[in-house]
Amino acid sequence: MTKKEFWRWPEYRHTVEGIDPKNGKVISGGVDIGSVSSKTVIMVDGEVFAQSVMRTGSSSPDSAERTMNWALEDTGLTLKDVQYVVGTGYGRVNIPFAQKAITEIACHGRGANFMWGPTVRTVLDMGGQDCKAIRVDEKGKVQNFLMNDKCAAGTGRGMEVFADLLSVPIQEVGDRSFAVKEEPQSVSSTCVVFAKSEAVGLLRSGWSKDEVLAAYCQAMAHRVVDLLNRVGVEKEFVITGGIAKNIGIVKRVEKELRIRALKPDQWRDDPRFDPMLAGAAGAALFAKVLYERSKG
Amino acid sequence: MITAGIDFGAKNVKVVILDDEKIVARGSALTGFDLKIAVKDASEMALKAAGLKLDEITHITETGIGQGSVAFAADSVSEVGANAKAGVKLLPSARTIIDVGAEEARAVKCDESGSMEDFVVNERCAAGAGAFVEAMARALEVELGQMGPMSLKATEAVPMNAQCTVFAESEVVSLIHAQTPKANIARAIHDAIAERVISMVRRLGITEDVLLVGGLAYDVGYVDSMKRGLGVEVHVPELPEYVSAYGAALVAQERAKE
Amino acid sequence: MLIANYGYKDGSGEYFITLDTDKCDGCGKCVEVCPASVLEVIPNEYDIEDGDIMGVREEHRHKLKYSCAPCKATSGDVEPPCVLACPTRAIIHFLSEAKGQVL
Ligand code: SF4
Ligand code: SF4
């Protein structure tokens, strides 16, 4: 039996109704190959038309192909119809059908500007294996950035270690971390390895799983706030990446920053605003610009 | 005169009892989650081996993470201070003493009398301490004690890219999937931790002789990586993990005389 | 204006190399003096309209503290070679370590 994985968000695809790609002038694509999930956004004239989220397999080119094909499924389009594709994410240089690779930092900045509008100044992207703090201007252009992909603390990976330890599915982590009578003291170690042994001790001394989750979410929030403070936080502030869907972290980051994230829940009603797709959306927007430029 | 040194390590509590400068007994117990129980177990073990009672010990000095938690210790000394004292006693020509424990690595530069001149500590990141090797052994599915001998059998140097313990675990797993011989992976692990410890020590400048102490000094693979990385001879005393406790007991000797 | 930060913060402290890309003109003097080949001149990947700038090589991004350690062998406030070599003073090294460190 394979080990149960408690931490992944479900795979899905989505087509936006009411858009006819046949009437569009530019069909562009953005593919974001992250360490955990691979995402594609197809845009028609700069508006989201289709999207998919899948887990990343062992090979980046395969993952890229699968997520792209899935996004195009039932849309009447094939890869040939997509005029320009930009790749991003850690696997960006291994996407055979992408015309250009652009850093995640630039794509997340651009994508956040698209999803939340020109008032966004600070983007926190919490990915599976990294965490980025990005300052952008009103056009979504990067002004200051910081990426931590060295230390697992403050990344999805750190959360995974805890979800695994406690056998709690990731979708429940947020809610369960608030199902405590009183917010417990934060786990004191920054290091995931030491925090884990601390947690084992806490469980043994009678803490509930929920309390331990709360204590870890807090430590994690503290970590990312440290990073954010290095680039300076200015309103509006948004969170992208898989962890943006974990309210256990989001709420605690907001509390520590004393700034509320802009519309953190809009994705629940409209999948176009899935914060996991910000990088792919930014890439698709760059693709449109690059395509237009190539046509003069 | 009888004195004792207690070293609260992240993994084990160690006790050394001295008669003047001679070690008469030692004891150790898992630190666990209750320091009081651990220190009681370790000191009872040492007292029993020495055939002594607690009140026959003139002076007790403690060192390590749990300082202040034992009522019967008279005072305390820093780990680096204790290491300098004990290191020079064990190897009079030692000038740089590197101590890699379960959760911390530290290095101290000292003079011929065992007084500390400068030190560096690297703490709270598992990637720079013994915990790294432990986690990697688990990922390799090899017993910790087997890591050293295995690593000496390596035929090829394979690079490890991840720095963080958590990411390195997955890297080890993918190396296994890629059919990399376990011996080569073990060596890559030792080289990685040695590289981190060495660059920390470089801040002090490396003055010979170099003495390696702490639990990880038992690991022959790691010692070998340190030798290759430093390019100088690396000395390991007997019972390297008791060196801090021994140092504390030596400090207790001095303080008792004052 | 773009400020690029390379480096990380982990349990043992923080190490960042910060570059002011407005000041940096990609001259490469820092690359020449760096004894550990940590730096390189790259196209500004964060702004597709801009020219070349200094960047930290991928393989060093995760271990700056270790890669740059030899430049800080002795204590004191001496700036590392790359910072001194930069004609426009575009580079800053930021280092702070966990408690217990004597610098
Ligand atoms: S502090 Fe822990 S989680 Fe962070 S890099 Fe070190 S080992 Fe990894
Ligand atoms: S501090 Fe030294 S090693 Fe680090 S980038 Fe500058 S010149 Fe290179």
Side-chain angles (χ1 to χ4, degrees), chain A residues 232-249:
Chain A
V233 184
E234 222 182 272
K235 279 218 248 188
E236 298 288 342
F237 161 66
V238 298
I239 306 181
T240 65
I243 294 189
K245 296 182 182 178
N246 180 335
I247 59 157
I249 306 284

Side-chain angles (χ1 to χ4, degrees), chain C residues 34-36 38-39 67-68 71 80-82 93:
Chain C
C34 173
V38 169
L39 310 174
S67 300
C68 294
C71 284
C82 52
H93 278 246

